[in-house]
Amino acid sequence: MKRLNLLLVLLLWTSPSEAAPSVRIVSPPPNQPLFGEVEIRAQVTGAAVSRVEFYLDSLRVGVVEAPPWRIVIDVGQQNAEHSVEVVAYGPSGPIGSATLRALPLQIDDEIEVGLQQLYVVIDRGGLRANDLTREDFTILDDGVPHEIITFERGEIPFTGVLLVDSSTSMSGSRLRTAVDGAKTFVGGMKRLDEAKMILFSDRILLETPFTSVPSILTLGLAGVQAQGGTALNDALYLGLKRLEGRQGRKVVVLVSDGVDIESILTMEQVQKIARQNQAVLYWLRLRRLD
């Protein structure tokens, strides 16, 4: 009898007591329509968490490195099905994830209306003007006023494509200036901003994924060499196509000497897709310094 009691005690001491990691999406609730600004909130228990990544329709929309594990995003006004995913990471890698499905609103009749998003920065005396209201703005399209449906203030993350011309015409100081400018752009990105880097000449020499990690964006800049012709219009078109389906502010930054000799596409075709994407283009044209 004494030997049996000792065996029971040992079994109790060696049984596992730690709960397995658990990841749960607290908000929004599943199977409900999503419109406009939506809070995505997660609950992670049973493990140490270093960061939580948030995805909407398979696109990463935010990373949070300390609780509360939540972000607020604008999913738009389209009546569509959405998927939300949350992935939690520990010190050594992923520890769990959770997903939910948001169904579209079921209605009898649907009228599709195009909602155009405009992002405006206003300075007053060199300082950001943050006290403006809806009534302070007038939107004109070919002289015709348009109604402002929604109006919000605040900092909005951007998704950008950084195009760096590395053709032969960019050799010497131009390419060095372009590389330094690209590094400065990446270094100035905020935590929720995302971008991809594209090095081009008469072909694509390097393309990174969309990311907010500076080391990934600048990985191919160390050994870049000027080579080949310049297909500037084609590179612009590709950068704009990469932004299709991305949420929020969309920007394209082009660093080039601005001489196109190899493109198949015309600038009119580039301008057309730029208007459709509602992307803002910043063209930094470099002069030869040596």
Side-chain angles (χ1 to χ4, degrees), residues 1-11:
M1 179 66 81
K2 292 182 180 181
R3 185 175 303 173
L4 178 61
N5 291 338
L6 178 59
L7 177 62
L8 290 175
V9 171
L10 290 175
L11 289 175

Side-chain angles (χ1 to χ4, degrees), residues 13-257:
W13 274 101
T14 57
S15 62
S17 59
E18 294 185 0
S22 172
V23 181
R24 185 168 67 93
I25 297 176
V26 180
S27 176
N31 299 323
Q32 291 193 13
L34 300 182
F35 295 98
E37 287 193 348
V38 175
E39 179 192 46
I40 303 178
R41 182 158 47 94
Q43 183 181 74
V44 185
T45 58
V49 182
S50 57
R51 76 179 190 276
V52 172
E53 296 185 355
F54 296 83
Y55 294 82
L56 176 69
D57 300 332
S58 300
L59 298 175
R60 192 174 71 172
V61 292
V63 180
V64 178
E65 298 179 346
W69 310 114
R70 63 178 294 274
I71 63 169
V72 177
I73 61 171
D74 190 343
V75 302
Q77 299 298 326
Q78 185 178 4
N79 185 29
E81 179 178 329
H82 295 286
S83 64
V84 176
E85 182 179 9
V86 173
V87 182
Y89 289 80
S92 59
I95 59 175
S97 65
T99 60
L100 69 79
R101 178 187 177 200
L103 299 177
L105 183 65
Q106 298 299 315
I107 54 179
D108 295 330
D109 295 311
E110 182 174 343
I111 301 175
E112 185 173 347
V113 178
L115 182 64
Q116 303 295 321
Q117 297 179 339
L118 298 177
Y119 300 96
V120 181
V121 177
I122 305 296
D123 290 337
R124 183 190 296 128
L127 300 176
R128 187 71 57 86
N130 295 322
D131 57 347
L132 301 176
T133 65
R134 181 196 303 257
E135 288 70 28
D136 293 315
F137 292 86
T138 301
I139 307 298
L140 302 176
D141 185 4
D142 290 334
V144 179
H146 285 256
E147 181 184 1
I148 300 176
I149 304 299
T150 61
F151 181 84
E152 297 291 341
R153 293 190 298 264
E155 293 290 336
I156 301 176
F158 72 80
T159 300
V161 174
L162 181 57
L163 296 168
V164 178
D165 183 356
S166 55
S167 61
T168 302
S169 63
M170 289 284 291
S171 61
S173 61
R174 292 187 186 184
L175 186 56
R176 291 194 298 271
T177 301
V179 170
D180 290 342
K183 292 179 179 179
T184 301
F185 174 85
V186 171
M189 291 173 55
K190 297 183 179 179
R191 184 166 56 89
L192 295 182
D193 296 332
E194 285 195 327
K196 73 158 55 228
M197 177 87 67
I198 298 179
L199 296 179
F200 73 95
S201 56
D202 51 7
R203 62 191 186 279
I204 300 302
L205 304 175
L206 172 71
E207 180 176 356
T208 72
F210 280 106
T211 180
S212 58
V213 181
S215 60
I216 296 178
L217 289 171
T218 59
L219 184 63
L221 294 179
V224 61
Q225 296 180 351
Q227 57 180 301
T230 308
L232 191 146
N233 293 347
D234 293 350
L236 273 174
Y237 187 89
L238 175 65
L240 290 164
K241 290 292 289 184
R242 293 292 192 258
L243 288 172
E244 286 187 344
R246 309 289 298 187
Q247 298 289 334
R249 288 192 299 160
K250 295 180 283 189
V251 299
V252 175
V253 179
L254 170 65
V255 185
S256 170
D257 59 359

Side-chain angles (χ1 to χ4, degrees), residues 265-284:
L265 300 172
T266 66
M267 182 54 69
E268 287 73 21
Q269 291 172 296
V270 174
Q271 292 172 336
K272 180 178 179 181
I273 191 175
R275 287 191 294 267
Q276 293 173 346
N277 275 358
Q278 297 180 304
V280 178
L281 171 62
Y282 298 93
W283 189 332
L284 307 180

